Amino acid sequence: MATGDIMDGLQVHSRFVPLAEDTHFARKDLLDERARRSVDLPLKYWRQQAHFTTPASGAPGKAIRGLKPVKRLLEKFAISPEDIATQTGAPLDTLREVLDGDDHSPFVMVDVEDAVALTEESISKARLGAVRCFTQEDWGPTLPFFRPSGLRLPTCVEDFLTVLPECAADRAPADFPIAGIVWPKTEHPSEIAWVCELLTKIERELQLDEDQIKLEFLVESAHGLDQLGDLARTCAHRLVGIIWGIADYSADVNLPRIDNYHPMCDWARHEIVNVTGAYGVPAIDNMTLNYPTPLHRAEQLSAAQIAENKTKVLGALKEAYDDARHGIELGMTGKWVGHPLQLLMVLAAYRNAIPKKQIEKDINEIEAYTRSVVAGAGATVLGEGAQAYMADRATDRHLRARLRRATAWGRLDAARALALGVITESERATI
């Protein structure tokens, strides 16, 4: 036997020591390359259960505390939490938890793209509205993102070079109020490279940290999905999410209708979930287009009209909840919304996706597996009866990933998550 420890009790033969050293160097290079292709995502970017999009030209600040008007809206339509639970299947206790909890939206996208007319007055109003929202509103725990106009619109460069510098004025770099950009209608890696290069130059001019301005992109075309892996690879150093846009995609591939459950749309979700999994970032599902808005809007309504409004709104709430649950089952980690009542239902769906009972079960199984490892077993059987299963490093990783999301969503106490090794000490300080 020779020197050159690789494992206790077993050593590499002397003839193979140089080969072992060379191979370890090559292994390190491969691990470094693998790390460059993935994203070590800060915990706060897993708080994207719901993306609330709001036009910058309106009152975008209202979206930050997106749940604030919900109780008033429900009262207006004579809808109780019990009505919602009965109609949608959402657990009543979950609905009450959301209604009685923090009214902040997890993520708000201030939009100067789709909702802005191409007139000088409208464009100026939208940019000023965005600046006011980012610099004057109290964002609290809400992630602040900005959507400029896309590549095909002549306003896109000026959207960047007016809003971002104005938001940085008289602020320390660490206090820059925009967490990131949502880039619309993404189709080609060279386009994403162009956006990243522009953001780098802006960061240097504003003395921000490198890659401080994060990036999410909307994939809503056949061409974008065809090149999804290359798109993510191009911006991996900034990437914090990929968003699915169903309407433009449906037009692109000639679907007969915009159908959330169309096989092609689920295939698109599969592609997005796989690529976001490869890069370790959230996959954000499309918006439910059926808004929970009334059929009748007159000041004085008949009893029949009031009932029709209630039925219509409850139906839209069920659709939003069902769509969110469908996305969760396919691996999506958030959903785009545009109305406070949609926000309620999506947050309820994601809260119910990791209920307290599931969290406690996961913790017990992680602790049991850890005891097994300490005792020298790399695999063990966890659970009881028909629910028993073989547990190893892979199943333990799955449980820890779920508890990490639960911690980001406020479902698991940060101190307990730290003790389990689900989060780090530095991440605990950000919760």
Side-chain angles (χ1 to χ4, degrees), residues 142-195:
T142 302
L143 286 168
F145 271 66
F146 173 58
R147 180 164 78 167
S149 50
L151 187 68
R152 294 180 181 178
L153 294 176
T155 52
C156 65
V157 173
E158 285 72 18
D159 286 345
F160 280 104
L161 298 180
T162 55
V163 173
L164 271 62
E166 193 63 31
C167 287
D170 301 320
R171 281 178 170 75
D175 296 326
F176 184 65
I178 300 176
I181 300 297
V182 173
W183 185 244
K185 297 178 175 58
T186 311
E187 293 205 337
H188 197 278
S190 60
E191 175 185 345
I192 286 292
W194 175 84
V195 173

Side-chain angles (χ1 to χ4, degrees), residues 22 103 105 123 158 227 241 253 297 412:
D22 289 346
D103 58 16
S105 303
I123 293 165
E158 285 72 18
Q227 303 187 88
V253 299
R297 297 176 181 270
L412 175 61

Side-chain angles (χ1 to χ4, degrees), residues 81-92:
E82 289 81 2
D83 291 331
I84 299 173
T86 299
Q87 177 69 23
T88 68
L92 182 58

Side-chain angles (χ1 to χ4, degrees), residues 95 112 151 161 194 216 266 271 287 299 306 312 352 401 409:
L95 290 166
V112 300
L151 187 68
L161 298 180
W194 175 84
E216 302 200 5
D266 275 353
E271 294 289 299
M287 185 185 293
E299 288 187 15
I306 292 172
K312 195 274 184 181
N352 196 47
W409 299 352

